[in-house]
Amino acid sequence: MSGSTRSGPVDAQPSVLLVDRSEGVAVLRLNRPHRLNALDSSLVTALRTACASIADDPDVRVVMLTGAGRGFCSGIDIRDFGGEIPDASAPAIERLRFQEMMAALPRAVRDLPQPVVAAVNGPAVGGGLALCLAADVRICAASATFGNAAIRLGLSGAEMGMSYHLPRVVGTSVAADWMLTGRMVAADEALRSGLVSAVHADDELGEQAMRTAALIASHSPLATRMTKRALAQNTDAPSLAAAIELENRNQVITHATDEAAAARAAWGER
């Protein structure tokens, strides 16, 4: 990607805007503000396409994920998905394919090699919460709300990676509370529970999120990617010994880079 700043649709898809930043931060903005950025077929396709493109771009060091307008993502757009959602009478294989398509969306975000900063600027419900959980760093606006609403529709609250990510982020009891009640969670509770690391005034969120992303992007790309991988792998490490083994390998690899040598020299001059 070029160092200039531009804004435009990804692969002619208007549902996701990709903004290049010279600091090495790519901003992915969900762009269906009239529906609080609810997931429809075009947004699902555009976001997966954008993630695939960014993953192979060496100029992108960090990704910032946010929503246009006053919402982050209000979940699946049941009323206007833009493609056929299988009903309850459809063959199980068709309903499974649809569910797998939706579940692949947070995985596309999670699997990005670059760290992902979610700037949650409004409601993050259902699939929106799943996307939020797929990020590495989550910060939100004071007006942000979070909810796993599937159970209120007679569905399992365990979907799109929710039963994996949420207990690891906020603990099993809090996750069970949110998933079983389907209640909405305000920004202050999200902060207390560890879902987000910071809450900012609505008009300051974008700037603060960019500041966080730019700080991460200022570090060695290899070091940040190795750190992200270690965090992901060691969340499920079978033992402390296995976790340390991975950490030791990563330190040996990153120690020999030019970026590490330059950082050590700069540190010594402080």
PDB file of all heavy atoms in Angstrom, residues 198-220:
ATOM      1  N   ALA A 198      -9.818   0.127  27.462  1.00  0.00           N
ATOM      2  CA  ALA A 198      -9.989   1.562  27.707  1.00  0.00           C
ATOM      3  C   ALA A 198     -11.327   2.016  27.162  1.00  0.00           C
ATOM      4  O   ALA A 198     -11.853   1.441  26.198  1.00  0.00           O
ATOM      5  CB  ALA A 198      -8.858   2.362  27.056  1.00  0.00           C
ATOM      6  N   VAL A 199     -11.881   3.052  27.788  1.00  0.00           N
ATOM      7  CA  VAL A 199     -13.108   3.707  27.330  1.00  0.00           C
ATOM      8  C   VAL A 199     -12.783   5.181  27.119  1.00  0.00           C
ATOM      9  O   VAL A 199     -12.183   5.818  27.991  1.00  0.00           O
ATOM     10  CB  VAL A 199     -14.256   3.556  28.354  1.00  0.00           C
ATOM     11  CG1 VAL A 199     -15.500   4.298  27.865  1.00  0.00           C
ATOM     12  CG2 VAL A 199     -14.572   2.089  28.606  1.00  0.00           C
ATOM     13  N   HIS A 200     -13.189   5.709  25.965  1.00  0.00           N
ATOM     14  CA  HIS A 200     -12.917   7.103  25.640  1.00  0.00           C
ATOM     15  C   HIS A 200     -14.211   7.817  25.285  1.00  0.00           C
ATOM     16  O   HIS A 200     -15.209   7.186  24.904  1.00  0.00           O
ATOM     17  CB  HIS A 200     -11.943   7.207  24.463  1.00  0.00           C
ATOM     18  CG  HIS A 200     -10.600   6.592  24.741  1.00  0.00           C
ATOM     19  ND1 HIS A 200      -9.662   7.190  25.547  1.00  0.00           N
ATOM     20  CD2 HIS A 200     -10.054   5.415  24.318  1.00  0.00           C
ATOM     21  CE1 HIS A 200      -8.586   6.419  25.613  1.00  0.00           C
ATOM     22  NE2 HIS A 200      -8.796   5.337  24.880  1.00  0.00           N
ATOM     23  N   ALA A 201     -14.189   9.125  25.409  1.00  0.00           N
ATOM     24  CA  ALA A 201     -15.322   9.925  24.953  1.00  0.00           C
ATOM     25  C   ALA A 201     -15.568   9.636  23.477  1.00  0.00           C
ATOM     26  O   ALA A 201     -14.630   9.366  22.720  1.00  0.00           O
ATOM     27  CB  ALA A 201     -15.032  11.414  25.158  1.00  0.00           C
ATOM     28  N   ASP A 202     -16.827   9.679  23.085  1.00  0.00           N
ATOM     29  CA  ASP A 202     -17.183   9.318  21.718  1.00  0.00           C
ATOM     30  C   ASP A 202     -16.364  10.073  20.680  1.00  0.00           C
ATOM     31  O   ASP A 202     -15.889   9.475  19.699  1.00  0.00           O
ATOM     32  CB  ASP A 202     -18.671   9.581  21.475  1.00  0.00           C
ATOM     33  CG  ASP A 202     -19.565   8.581  22.198  1.00  0.00           C
ATOM     34  OD1 ASP A 202     -19.087   7.974  23.185  1.00  0.00           O
ATOM     35  OD2 ASP A 202     -20.716   8.403  21.790  1.00  0.00           O
ATOM     36  N   ASP A 203     -16.171  11.359  20.887  1.00  0.00           N
ATOM     37  CA  ASP A 203     -15.478  12.156  19.883  1.00  0.00           C
ATOM     38  C   ASP A 203     -13.962  12.012  19.942  1.00  0.00           C
ATOM     39  O   ASP A 203     -13.250  12.582  19.119  1.00  0.00           O
ATOM     40  CB  ASP A 203     -15.864  13.638  20.007  1.00  0.00           C
ATOM     41  CG  ASP A 203     -15.528  14.221  21.380  1.00  0.00           C
ATOM     42  OD1 ASP A 203     -15.097  13.459  22.279  1.00  0.00           O
ATOM     43  OD2 ASP A 203     -15.703  15.445  21.547  1.00  0.00           O
ATOM     44  N   GLU A 204     -13.462  11.233  20.902  1.00  0.00           N
ATOM     45  CA  GLU A 204     -12.019  11.009  21.018  1.00  0.00           C
ATOM     46  C   GLU A 204     -11.604   9.591  20.636  1.00  0.00           C
ATOM     47  O   GLU A 204     -10.405   9.303  20.538  1.00  0.00           O
ATOM     48  CB  GLU A 204     -11.556  11.285  22.458  1.00  0.00           C
ATOM     49  CG  GLU A 204     -11.739  12.724  22.900  1.00  0.00           C
ATOM     50  CD  GLU A 204     -11.338  12.930  24.349  1.00  0.00           C
ATOM     51  OE1 GLU A 204     -10.911  11.940  24.979  1.00  0.00           O
ATOM     52  OE2 GLU A 204     -11.460  14.067  24.847  1.00  0.00           O
ATOM     53  N   LEU A 205     -12.581   8.708  20.417  1.00  0.00           N
ATOM     54  CA  LEU A 205     -12.262   7.302  20.199  1.00  0.00           C
ATOM     55  C   LEU A 205     -11.360   7.095  18.992  1.00  0.00           C
ATOM     56  O   LEU A 205     -10.352   6.379  19.071  1.00  0.00           O
ATOM     57  CB  LEU A 205     -13.539   6.474  20.037  1.00  0.00           C
ATOM     58  CG  LEU A 205     -13.305   4.989  19.727  1.00  0.00           C
ATOM     59  CD1 LEU A 205     -12.621   4.286  20.890  1.00  0.00           C
ATOM     60  CD2 LEU A 205     -14.623   4.289  19.386  1.00  0.00           C
ATOM     61  N   GLY A 206     -11.716   7.695  17.859  1.00  0.00           N
ATOM     62  CA  GLY A 206     -10.923   7.483  16.651  1.00  0.00           C
ATOM     63  C   GLY A 206      -9.480   7.892  16.826  1.00  0.00           C
ATOM     64  O   GLY A 206      -8.558   7.154  16.443  1.00  0.00           O
ATOM     65  N   GLU A 207      -9.266   9.043  17.412  1.00  0.00           N
ATOM     66  CA  GLU A 207      -7.910   9.537  17.626  1.00  0.00           C
ATOM     67  C   GLU A 207      -7.141   8.630  18.583  1.00  0.00           C
ATOM     68  O   GLU A 207      -5.966   8.302  18.356  1.00  0.00           O
ATOM     69  CB  GLU A 207      -7.955  10.956  18.172  1.00  0.00           C
ATOM     70  CG  GLU A 207      -6.588  11.552  18.476  1.00  0.00           C
ATOM     71  CD  GLU A 207      -6.671  12.936  19.081  1.00  0.00           C
ATOM     72  OE1 GLU A 207      -7.788  13.501  19.133  1.00  0.00           O
ATOM     73  OE2 GLU A 207      -5.617  13.455  19.509  1.00  0.00           O
ATOM     74  N   GLN A 208      -7.792   8.227  19.664  1.00  0.00           N
ATOM     75  CA  GLN A 208      -7.125   7.377  20.644  1.00  0.00           C
ATOM     76  C   GLN A 208      -6.819   5.996  20.071  1.00  0.00           C
ATOM     77  O   GLN A 208      -5.754   5.428  20.339  1.00  0.00           O
ATOM     78  CB  GLN A 208      -7.989   7.253  21.901  1.00  0.00           C
ATOM     79  CG  GLN A 208      -8.147   8.537  22.684  1.00  0.00           C
ATOM     80  CD  GLN A 208      -6.851   9.030  23.293  1.00  0.00           C
ATOM     81  OE1 GLN A 208      -5.929   8.249  23.523  1.00  0.00           O
ATOM     82  NE2 GLN A 208      -6.770  10.321  23.545  1.00  0.00           N
ATOM     83  N   ALA A 209      -7.742   5.452  19.284  1.00  0.00           N
ATOM     84  CA  ALA A 209      -7.509   4.149  18.667  1.00  0.00           C
ATOM     85  C   ALA A 209      -6.350   4.224  17.680  1.00  0.00           C
ATOM     86  O   ALA A 209      -5.504   3.318  17.615  1.00  0.00           O
ATOM     87  CB  ALA A 209      -8.773   3.660  17.965  1.00  0.00           C
ATOM     88  N   MET A 210      -6.298   5.301  16.895  1.00  0.00           N
ATOM     89  CA  MET A 210      -5.205   5.472  15.956  1.00  0.00           C
ATOM     90  C   MET A 210      -3.874   5.630  16.689  1.00  0.00           C
ATOM     91  O   MET A 210      -2.840   5.135  16.253  1.00  0.00           O
ATOM     92  CB  MET A 210      -5.467   6.680  15.053  1.00  0.00           C
ATOM     93  CG  MET A 210      -4.385   6.911  14.003  1.00  0.00           C
ATOM     94  SD  MET A 210      -4.062   5.453  12.963  1.00  0.00           S
ATOM     95  CE  MET A 210      -5.627   5.348  12.100  1.00  0.00           C
ATOM     96  N   ARG A 211      -3.903   6.324  17.821  1.00  0.00           N
ATOM     97  CA  ARG A 211      -2.677   6.484  18.610  1.00  0.00           C
ATOM     98  C   ARG A 211      -2.176   5.128  19.096  1.00  0.00           C
ATOM     99  O   ARG A 211      -0.964   4.842  19.038  1.00  0.00           O
ATOM    100  CB  ARG A 211      -2.950   7.412  19.790  1.00  0.00           C
ATOM    101  CG  ARG A 211      -1.732   7.740  20.630  1.00  0.00           C
ATOM    102  CD  ARG A 211      -2.080   8.767  21.708  1.00  0.00           C
ATOM    103  NE  ARG A 211      -2.541  10.017  21.110  1.00  0.00           N
ATOM    104  CZ  ARG A 211      -3.003  11.042  21.813  1.00  0.00           C
ATOM    105  NH1 ARG A 211      -3.094  10.945  23.137  1.00  0.00           N
ATOM    106  NH2 ARG A 211      -3.394  12.140  21.213  1.00  0.00           N
ATOM    107  N   THR A 212      -3.084   4.292  19.585  1.00  0.00           N
ATOM    108  CA  THR A 212      -2.697   2.954  20.033  1.00  0.00           C
ATOM    109  C   THR A 212      -2.154   2.124  18.875  1.00  0.00           C
ATOM    110  O   THR A 212      -1.114   1.466  18.991  1.00  0.00           O
ATOM    111  CB  THR A 212      -3.902   2.236  20.668  1.00  0.00           C
ATOM    112  OG1 THR A 212      -4.334   2.957  21.816  1.00  0.00           O
ATOM    113  CG2 THR A 212      -3.539   0.809  21.077  1.00  0.00           C
ATOM    114  N   ALA A 213      -2.862   2.156  17.744  1.00  0.00           N
ATOM    115  CA  ALA A 213      -2.437   1.387  16.580  1.00  0.00           C
ATOM    116  C   ALA A 213      -1.083   1.869  16.069  1.00  0.00           C
ATOM    117  O   ALA A 213      -0.211   1.053  15.703  1.00  0.00           O
ATOM    118  CB  ALA A 213      -3.488   1.489  15.478  1.00  0.00           C
ATOM    119  N   ALA A 214      -0.877   3.181  16.040  1.00  0.00           N
ATOM    120  CA  ALA A 214       0.386   3.729  15.550  1.00  0.00           C
ATOM    121  C   ALA A 214       1.547   3.363  16.469  1.00  0.00           C
ATOM    122  O   ALA A 214       2.668   3.117  16.006  1.00  0.00           O
ATOM    123  CB  ALA A 214       0.284   5.242  15.409  1.00  0.00           C
ATOM    124  N   LEU A 215       1.287   3.312  17.778  1.00  0.00           N
ATOM    125  CA  LEU A 215       2.333   2.908  18.714  1.00  0.00           C
ATOM    126  C   LEU A 215       2.756   1.463  18.456  1.00  0.00           C
ATOM    127  O   LEU A 215       3.951   1.141  18.432  1.00  0.00           O
ATOM    128  CB  LEU A 215       1.839   3.076  20.151  1.00  0.00           C
ATOM    129  CG  LEU A 215       2.805   2.625  21.255  1.00  0.00           C
ATOM    130  CD1 LEU A 215       4.128   3.378  21.167  1.00  0.00           C
ATOM    131  CD2 LEU A 215       2.168   2.817  22.630  1.00  0.00           C
ATOM    132  N   ILE A 216       1.771   0.586  18.259  1.00  0.00           N
ATOM    133  CA  ILE A 216       2.088  -0.810  17.946  1.00  0.00           C
ATOM    134  C   ILE A 216       2.852  -0.888  16.627  1.00  0.00           C
ATOM    135  O   ILE A 216       3.842  -1.621  16.500  1.00  0.00           O
ATOM    136  CB  ILE A 216       0.803  -1.649  17.882  1.00  0.00           C
ATOM    137  CG1 ILE A 216       0.112  -1.689  19.240  1.00  0.00           C
ATOM    138  CG2 ILE A 216       1.111  -3.077  17.417  1.00  0.00           C
ATOM    139  CD1 ILE A 216      -1.267  -2.329  19.219  1.00  0.00           C
ATOM    140  N   ALA A 217       2.403  -0.108  15.634  1.00  0.00           N
ATOM    141  CA  ALA A 217       3.034  -0.138  14.316  1.00  0.00           C
ATOM    142  C   ALA A 217       4.457   0.392  14.340  1.00  0.00           C
ATOM    143  O   ALA A 217       5.242   0.100  13.428  1.00  0.00           O
ATOM    144  CB  ALA A 217       2.199   0.667  13.320  1.00  0.00           C
ATOM    145  N   SER A 218       4.805   1.165  15.363  1.00  0.00           N
ATOM    146  CA  SER A 218       6.156   1.720  15.430  1.00  0.00           C
ATOM    147  C   SER A 218       7.187   0.689  15.843  1.00  0.00           C
ATOM    148  O   SER A 218       8.392   0.921  15.710  1.00  0.00           O
ATOM    149  CB  SER A 218       6.184   2.894  16.424  1.00  0.00           C
ATOM    150  OG  SER A 218       6.041   2.439  17.773  1.00  0.00           O
ATOM    151  N   HIS A 219       6.748  -0.451  16.318  1.00  0.00           N
ATOM    152  CA  HIS A 219       7.665  -1.496  16.748  1.00  0.00           C
ATOM    153  C   HIS A 219       8.023  -2.408  15.573  1.00  0.00           C
ATOM    154  O   HIS A 219       7.418  -2.346  14.508  1.00  0.00           O
ATOM    155  CB  HIS A 219       7.053  -2.301  17.891  1.00  0.00           C
ATOM    156  CG  HIS A 219       6.720  -1.485  19.098  1.00  0.00           C
ATOM    157  ND1 HIS A 219       7.597  -0.610  19.680  1.00  0.00           N
ATOM    158  CD2 HIS A 219       5.578  -1.399  19.829  1.00  0.00           C
ATOM    159  CE1 HIS A 219       7.038  -0.018  20.710  1.00  0.00           C
ATOM    160  NE2 HIS A 219       5.805  -0.476  20.829  1.00  0.00           N
ATOM    161  N   SER A 220       8.974  -3.274  15.798  1.00  0.00           N
ATOM    162  CA  SER A 220       9.408  -4.217  14.767  1.00  0.00           C
ATOM    163  C   SER A 220       8.229  -5.071  14.298  1.00  0.00           C
ATOM    164  O   SER A 220       7.539  -5.674  15.123  1.00  0.00           O
ATOM    165  CB  SER A 220      10.496  -5.134  15.322  1.00  0.00           C
ATOM    166  OG  SER A 220      10.623  -6.314  14.548  1.00  0.00           O
TER     167      SER A 220
END
